[in-house]
């Protein structure tokens, strides 16, 4: 850490309460997950999609074990960047996987922004020109950027307020939807064109996107009051809350719309499900919640992502240019994050954005568990079976998802692979030239003799 004023990030220790932390977590989780993924999952696996949400919850629960163990041992505001660093040191795996996480989070923001646009346009009878959805998404990201410039208290306040409204609203939607439906029986005999195991695994992988927000909790590590206890607790509470909410909503949608309708309205299936149940007011109500949910999600996500990039910059693991901008590194990383999000939102459609995000996220997740197994197990007193199970389940979901996409939209898998090659090669060149990482290699070789 050099002491030039430009290089510092300003964290406020103990500035986040346990409920505040849970709100940030669920805020990111409930964002796009439930609003846009429901339809895409139904398209992959037919009416089994509520079960795919549950399967995703199981995978994420195994996955959470490693994150909780590491965050209890080393609470930090860098979250995943820091965890990778603890496992792999100043080397390529750290930089590569941290950047995958970074991109998957920026992708999630664009996904949220597009979802916001899709729902908002339901108030105006849809978006025939196809231009309004990206425009609204871009406007939302810019608004989140401005609020993020106002600082921590403001973000926690806005995120908590939106979080409470949103979770209340979604619960009402789920309960009313299930109550009004003629029967809760979801017809499991029609499994869509799919029914195959690969498709179910693919839908499960998408479902993981709806839960992966729990990892943002790790990014607020050192700012949480009593982090060694509360980070883990916040993760468990957030995942549990989401399981209840998603299952409820899944059944509400499945019992109010036919499978064909869910797939047809996949970018705004909750609003569509509200129409038969509650009429136009129901649609307005759902759109209002969706707008709040996606806005809150973007707010919390921009906050966490710019944090992580700032951390990587401080570790000298990514190149950094000021481009003549004033202020701290975190302000700069905020700008990069927003610009990248704007580009994705403007040019990619929802299912493609989600596909990139899930591939990057699962690969990074596997790297975290491998790091725990290989390097950190003794330091953080973790058992072997939880991370090992998590790796297996991740590989299953990733395999199923890639298989489905290769059959339906191979272009996306191509983009994902190319992006990863570019990240790996450019990072390798950057690290070779960077004096810090050469030093890191020497310390590394000493450190790993002790294990």
């Amino acid at each position: 850490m050099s002491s030039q004023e430009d290089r510092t990030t300003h964290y406020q220790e103990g500035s986040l309460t346990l409920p505040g932390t849970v709100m940030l977590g669920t805020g990111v989780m409930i964002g796009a997950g439930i609003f846009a993924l429901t339809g895409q999952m139904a398209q992959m696996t037919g009416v089994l999609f509520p079960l795919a949400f549950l399967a995703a919850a199981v995978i994420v629960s195994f996955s959470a074990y490693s994150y909780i163990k590491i965050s209890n041992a080393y609470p930090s505001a860098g979250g995943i960047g820091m965890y990778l660093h603890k496992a792999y040191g100043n080397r390529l795996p750290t930089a590569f996987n941290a950047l995958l996480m970074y991109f998957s989070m920026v992708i999630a923001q664009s996904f949220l922004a597009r979802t916001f646009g899709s729902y908002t346009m339901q108030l105006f009878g849809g978006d025939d020109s196809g231009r309004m959805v990206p425009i609204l998404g871009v406007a939302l990201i810019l608004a989140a950027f401005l609020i993020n410039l106002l600082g921590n208290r403001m973000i926690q306040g806005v995120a908590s307020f939106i979080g409470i409204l949103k979770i209340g609203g979604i619960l009402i939607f789920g309960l009313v939807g299930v109550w009004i439906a003629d029967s809760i029986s979801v017809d499991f005999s029609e499994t869509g064109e799919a029914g195959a195991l690969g498709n179910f695994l693919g839908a499960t992988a998408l479902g993981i996107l709806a839960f992966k927000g729990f990892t943002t909790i790790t990014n607020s590590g050192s700012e949480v009051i009593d982090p060694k206890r509360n980070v883990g607790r916040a993760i468990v509470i957030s995942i549990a809350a989401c399981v209840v909410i998603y299952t409820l909503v899944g059944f509400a949608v499945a019992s109010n719309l036919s499978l064909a309708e869910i797939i047809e309205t996949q970018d705004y299936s909750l609003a569509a499900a509200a129409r038969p149940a509650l009429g136009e007011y129901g649609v307005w109500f759902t759109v209002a919640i969706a707008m709040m949910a996606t806005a809150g999600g973007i707010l919390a996500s921009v906050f966490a992502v710019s944090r992580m990039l700032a951390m990587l910059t401080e570790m000298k693991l990514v190149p950094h240019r000021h481009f003549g901008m004033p202020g701290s590194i975190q302000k700069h990383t905020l700008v990069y994050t927003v610009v990248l999000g704007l580009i994705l939102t403007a040019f990619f459609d929802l299912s493609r954005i989600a596909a990139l995000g899930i591939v990057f996220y699962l690969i990074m997740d596997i790297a975290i568990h491998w790091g725990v197994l290989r390097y950190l197990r003794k330091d953080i007193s973790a058992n072997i079976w939880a991370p090992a199970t998590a790796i297996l389940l991740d590989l299953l979901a990733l395999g199923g998802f890639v298989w489905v996409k290769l059959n339906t939209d191979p272009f996306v898998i191509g983009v994902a692979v190319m992006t990863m090659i570019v990240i790996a090669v450019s990072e390798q060149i950057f690290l070779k030239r960077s004096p810090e990482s050469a030093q890191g290699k020497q310390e590394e070789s000493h450190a790993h003799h002790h294990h």
Side-chain angles (χ1 to χ4, degrees), residues 355-367:
L356 284 173
I358 197 64
V359 171
F360 291 169
Y361 173 72
L362 284 172
I363 290 174
M364 183 287 308
D365 197 51
I366 292 168

Side-chain angles (χ1 to χ4, degrees), residues 112-127 132-133 135-137 140 267-268 271 283-284 286-292 294-295:
L112 284 165
R114 294 282 301 217
T115 305
F116 173 81
S118 300
Y119 273 85
T120 306
M121 287 315 290
Q122 288 311 296
L123 297 178
F124 308 100
D127 180 16
M132 284 311 295
V133 169
I135 290 174
L136 286 166
L140 179 65
D267 288 348
Y268 51 92
V283 176
W284 292 350
T286 314
V287 169
I289 307 169
M291 289 166 73
M292 285 189 299
T294 45

Side-chain angles (χ1 to χ4, degrees), residues 168-229:
I170 292 178
L171 279 172
I172 293 169
F173 169 85
L175 291 166
V176 171
V178 169
W179 182 58
I180 287 188
D182 314 325
S183 61
I184 291 207
S185 66
V186 175
D187 180 6
F188 286 120
S189 58
E190 299 175 54
T191 44
E193 81 261 44
L197 179 65
N199 287 59
F200 184 75
L201 289 172
T204 302
L206 272 175
I208 292 173
L209 267 190
F211 288 102
K212 84 176 183 71
F214 84 83
T215 56
T216 36
I217 296 174
T218 62
N219 286 40
S220 28
S222 54
E223 298 184 278
V224 180
I225 297 166
D226 189 8
K228 293 196 179 203
R229 283 177 60 211

Side-chain angles (χ1 to χ4, degrees), residues 54-64 204-205 208 362 365 390 393-394 397:
L54 288 175
V58 171
I59 294 181
V60 168
S61 308
F62 277 105
S63 189
T204 302
I208 292 173
L362 284 172
D365 197 51
L393 293 173
D394 275 352

Side-chain angles (χ1 to χ4, degrees), residues 14 28 145 175 181 263 297 316 337 370 380 393 415-416:
V28 177
F145 172 62
L175 291 166
I263 293 171
K316 310 269 197 305
T337 301
W370 177 247
I380 63 176
L393 293 173
V415 170

